[in-house]
């Protein structure tokens, strides 16, 4: 586990270094509130460093918190979804990311091992792609979308269709 939350001087280079140095051993990375970090921190070196064409990182990251990142947008989520570092990711927290939209959320369908996703207070989400993500990510058991004020009826119906998977209790406790 590496918790760098709130490290305002952390950049993509630092994230890349951490991921490369711990390749195959790091299970949880928290970079919430590290506002200088963009999607480039999750790119494998072959994509942006000459001479690294054959680098193939091992992945063991199962939990990632990228909450409260002002630059977390659709491209950022697509990059995370395709990154070699996140191929075994089970838990993804993207709370308080106002630029995240339905288009970015739909990239999660390429992450079939996901068990939990949190998108609390992501004001750009309407939930239009919830159904396709839920249909592809059969292991997804927890979808937290508190204060996502623009959720559509279709999004709620998609969640309700999977109520058994989400531990639905018939309204008790919540």
């Amino acid at each position: 586990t590496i918790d760098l939350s709130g490290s305002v001087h952390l950049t993509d280079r630092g994230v890349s270094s951490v991921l490369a140095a711990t390749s195959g051993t790091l299970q949880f990375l928290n970079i919430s509130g590290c506002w200088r970090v963009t999607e480039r921190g999750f790119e494998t070196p072959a994509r942006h460093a000459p001479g690294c064409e054959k680098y193939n990182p091992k992945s063991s990251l199962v939990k990632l918190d990228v909450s409260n990142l002002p630059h977390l947008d659709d491209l950022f989520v697509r990059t995370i979804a395709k990154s070699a570092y996140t191929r075994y990711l089970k838990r993804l927290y993207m709370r308080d990311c106002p630029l995240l939209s339905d288009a970015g959320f739909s990239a999660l369908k390429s992450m079939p091992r996901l068990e939990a996703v949190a998108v609390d207070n992501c004001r750009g989400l309407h939930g239009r792609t919830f159904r396709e993500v839920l249909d592809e990510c059969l292991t997804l058991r927890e979808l937290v979308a508190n204060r996502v004020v623009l959720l559509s009826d279709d999004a709620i119906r998609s969640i309700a269709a999977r109520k058994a998977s989400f531990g639905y209790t018939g309204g008790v406790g919540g």
Side-chain angles (χ1 to χ4, degrees):
T1 297
I2 296 181
D3 187 344
L4 300 170
S5 57
S7 299
V8 296
H9 294 288
L10 182 68
T11 65
D12 296 329
R13 187 173 176 186
V15 171
S16 258
S17 296
V18 165
L19 291 170
T22 60
S23 182
T25 60
L26 181 63
Q27 291 190 340
F28 173 44
L29 177 62
N30 184 348
I31 55 170
S32 61
C34 299
W35 60 270
R36 293 178 188 228
V37 175
T38 70
E39 70 280 350
R40 291 196 45 94
F42 290 89
E43 293 176 348
T44 53
R47 293 190 66 191
H48 58 80
C52 294
E53 292 79 21
K54 296 187 183 210
Y55 180 69
N56 186 19
K58 295 177 184 170
S59 177
S60 62
L61 197 62
V62 292
K63 186 174 172 184
L64 176 63
D65 192 337
V66 290
S67 298
N68 199 23
L69 297 185
H71 303 294
L72 191 142
D73 59 5
D74 299 340
L75 176 61
F76 197 123
V77 178
R78 284 193 299 270
T79 303
I80 288 173
K82 289 190 261 181
S83 176
Y85 296 116
T86 59
R87 78 182 101 202
Y88 298 112
L89 200 64
K90 292 182 179 183
R91 304 182 79 73
L92 178 60
Y93 304 106
M94 302 181 289
R95 296 177 174 105
D96 300 306
C97 296
L99 299 179
L100 177 62
S101 78
D102 290 318
F105 188 84
S106 74
L108 301 181
K109 66 185 175 192
S110 68
M111 303 179 80
R113 292 177 175 87
L114 277 180
E115 295 175 1
V117 175
V119 291
D120 302 19
N121 203 30
C122 291
R123 297 183 302 261
L125 279 177
H126 293 84
R128 292 183 188 117
T129 56
F130 280 16
R131 179 176 302 278
E132 62 188 70
V133 171
L134 291 169
D135 286 346
E136 294 294 322
C137 296
L138 300 177
T139 58
L140 189 63
R141 302 286 183 253
E142 184 179 336
L143 174 59
V144 182
N146 296 317
R147 297 178 319 278
V148 178
V149 295
L150 298 176
L151 278 183
S152 67
D153 288 345
D154 285 340
I156 301 304
R157 281 192 289 272
S158 297
I159 294 169
R162 291 269 306 269
K163 65 184 177 187
S165 297
F166 286 99
Y168 180 73
T169 60
V172 176

